[in-house]
Amino acid sequence: MLRVCTARSARLCLSPTLRTAMRSSTPVFGGVSFVRLNSSKTPDAAVPNLEIQTHLPSFDETASSAVDAGLSITDQIPQIVGEASSHIGYLSSIGMARSWWWPPELIQNVMEQIHVYSGMPWWGTIVTTTILVRFLMFPLYVKSSDTMARNSRVKPELDAINAELMAATDMVEGQRVAIKRKKLLAENGIKNRYLAAPILQVPVALGFFSGLRQMANYPVDGFTNQGMAWFSDLSLADPYLGLQIITASVFISFTRLGGETGAQQFSPTMKNVFTILPLLSIPATMNLASGVVLYFAVNGACSVVQTLILRNKWFRTKLDIAEVVRHAPTPGAPSKGIIETFKENMEKARLQAERRQTMQDNEKKMQEAAKELKGNKAIKIVRRSDFQKGSRK
């Protein structure tokens, strides 16, 4: 009996032996030859897909086609797996890309769409997907860069208001200063919600990391031979640490240029820290699969290009981004290290929490006093002479 596989039921059609046999092949299905473009093929042998299938082929039909072609059972295994991997739904059939809302599975779905419809090898798919995601997020970084630049204009006034807000011990006084701060931001067109744009990169990076690592550990068909240059196997670690060195270099570059928004102002101490941390990432990522580190390298390169664009005056004018105002340091102000700055911020946070608690306690007492006073107003004071007048009547 002929059994037809769909994207959901394809796992039942492929045995574990078939699913783990990952090497290139030239499958035959329905009389049409499918040849995937990958880095292991020469330009003469690379032929684009003639048809894109949105469902997985039948195991029985694929096997019968292989028998008709005179292939043995051993030769059928990579052919069946290769045929399945050239269809939308292959990742879902092996337990990946099952949803469009969870970041790792969303990234896997997007990469599968690009890989199947474009015919690119997996290294090209990873690079293309990374660039596409960074391009879609670019408008948010433009807004974030503009907000940082506008904040730099009013930094002295804003610092003074923040210090006044920290020192406020009365609820009414704190509200007055908060309104003053809100007015200052509104007058300069500052919307601090755009400062959270770089934080959105965190779930995206985690999605790429988890999704690619899962695909490399399986490994997905094509990951073992669709790399490039010295990292031809995307499921194994880079033997020469070239990708790790590239990643560290680009991260050092864009942090020294002003971060991904091109408007951040780091102290010399912080710049030294951002130089050391990327170097420490080399031994930390040396055992990761090349496909994962390739994403880190391409994402870092996109960050450098984005930083150069956002620092360019011509681009800032065309994108209507405010210019960054760099204020001279206060004369005689001592330079503070990272540990001292951290301790000072912690102490300020503690004092602010104590003041806020005191303000809340005072507000609560005032509310209780007002409630008691309101209740006392309902009591009517009657004099003794009024009782005497009433008894005579």
Side-chain angles (χ1 to χ4, degrees):
M1 180 177 180
L2 181 63
R3 179 174 58 178
V4 180
C5 296
T6 63
R8 296 182 177 272
S9 63
R11 180 184 294 186
L12 301 176
C13 300
L14 299 180
S15 64
T17 304
L18 299 180
R19 294 200 305 266
T20 54
M22 299 299 172
R23 63 189 186 205
S24 60
S25 61
T26 308
V28 179
F29 177 66
V32 181
S33 175
F34 291 85
V35 181
R36 302 302 306 275
L37 295 181
N38 56 61
S39 60
S40 63
K41 298 181 181 295
T42 60
D44 295 335
V47 180
N49 290 344
L50 302 179
E51 182 180 353
I52 299 298
Q53 299 290 340
T54 57
H55 63 276
L56 297 184
S58 165
F59 172 80
D60 296 334
E61 187 173 349
T62 306
S64 63
S65 299
V67 172
D68 295 339
L71 299 177
S72 63
I73 298 298
T74 305
D75 294 333
Q76 292 180 30
I77 295 175
Q79 175 176 318
I80 295 172
V81 176
E83 172 63 22
S85 64
S86 65
H87 294 71
I88 301 297
Y90 164 67
L91 293 182
S92 177
S93 71
I94 58 177
M96 306 178 193
R98 291 186 171 182
S99 70
W100 286 87
W101 60 270
W102 185 243
E105 296 179 349
L106 171 63
I107 296 299
Q108 290 172 350
N109 270 310
V110 173
M111 286 196 295
E112 183 177 49
Q113 299 285 330
I114 295 175
H115 179 64
V116 171
Y117 283 100
S118 67
M120 288 189 296
W122 276 114
W123 75 264
T125 302
I126 296 173
V127 172
T128 302
T129 307
T130 305
I131 296 175
L132 176 62
V133 171
R134 292 305 301 253
F135 179 77
L136 294 176
M137 295 183 65
F138 182 72
L140 296 177
Y141 283 99
V142 171
K143 287 289 187 179
S144 180
S145 180
D146 182 63
T147 302
M148 286 186 176
R150 292 178 184 274
N151 271 306
S152 68
R153 291 179 176 180
V154 296
K155 187 177 184 302
E157 297 90 342
L158 192 59
D159 289 343
I161 293 177
N162 288 334
E164 189 178 353
L165 185 62
M166 288 280 293
T169 56
D170 183 71
M171 183 69 71
V172 177
E173 180 67 16
Q175 292 177 352
R176 185 190 66 80
V177 178
I179 293 174
K180 182 180 178 181
R181 181 178 183 274
K182 185 177 180 180
K183 182 180 178 180
L184 177 64
L185 297 178
E187 289 176 349
N188 290 272
I190 299 174
K191 298 179 180 179
N192 285 328
R193 62 175 177 268
Y194 290 116
L195 295 177
I199 301 178
L200 297 177
Q201 181 67 21
V202 175
V204 173
L206 292 176
F208 269 101
F209 174 76
S210 300
L212 288 171
R213 186 175 63 173
Q214 185 183 16
M215 295 171 69
N217 290 340
Y218 187 80
V220 168
D221 180 63
F223 256 56
T224 57
N225 58 1
Q226 292 184 18
M228 66 172 294
W230 67 91
F231 52 96
S232 59
D233 192 339
L234 297 173
S235 64
L236 299 179
D238 185 348
Y240 303 106
L241 299 180
L243 292 174
Q244 284 83 352
I245 294 174
I246 293 174
T247 302
S249 301
V250 295
F251 270 91
I252 292 173
S253 300
F254 86 78
T255 51
R256 285 187 168 272
L257 288 172
E260 291 183 299
T261 61
Q264 293 171 305
Q265 302 181 35
F266 297 117
S267 63
T269 304
M270 293 302 297
K271 287 185 178 181
N272 293 332
V273 171
F274 289 139
T275 301
I276 297 173
L277 288 180
L279 294 177
L280 296 178
S281 70
I282 296 178
T285 59
M286 61 185 300
N287 294 322
L288 291 178
S290 297
V292 178
V293 188
L294 175 62
Y295 159 72
F296 290 148
V298 176
N299 187 60
C302 290
S303 298
V304 173
V305 174
Q306 177 178 283
T307 302
L308 293 174
I309 291 175
L310 294 179
R311 284 174 60 90
N312 186 274
K313 292 185 177 180
W314 185 84
F315 277 106
R316 294 185 75 89
T317 302
K318 292 296 181 181
L319 297 175
D320 195 23
I321 304 176
E323 290 296 326
V324 179
V325 178
R326 304 186 181 276
H327 299 277
T330 304
S335 58
K336 300 178 181 179
I338 298 177
I339 299 178
E340 294 180 359
T341 304
F342 178 76
K343 290 182 177 179
E344 182 179 351
N345 292 334
M346 291 295 293
E347 182 64 19
K348 288 182 179 180
R350 185 184 66 83
L351 294 176
Q352 186 178 15
E354 291 178 355
R355 292 192 186 99
R356 188 174 299 171
Q357 185 63 39
T358 302
M359 293 167 61
Q360 291 178 354
D361 293 341
N362 294 336
E363 183 69 16
K364 187 176 180 180
K365 291 179 180 179
M366 293 176 60
Q367 290 178 357
E368 291 177 354
K371 186 177 180 180
E372 183 179 357
L373 180 61
K374 184 178 180 180
N376 292 336
K377 288 182 177 180
I379 301 175
K380 183 178 181 180
I381 301 176
V382 182
R383 298 180 181 180
R384 184 179 299 178
S385 57
D386 295 336
F387 283 106
Q388 293 175 355
K389 292 178 181 179
S391 60
R392 290 176 183 175
K393 293 180 179 179

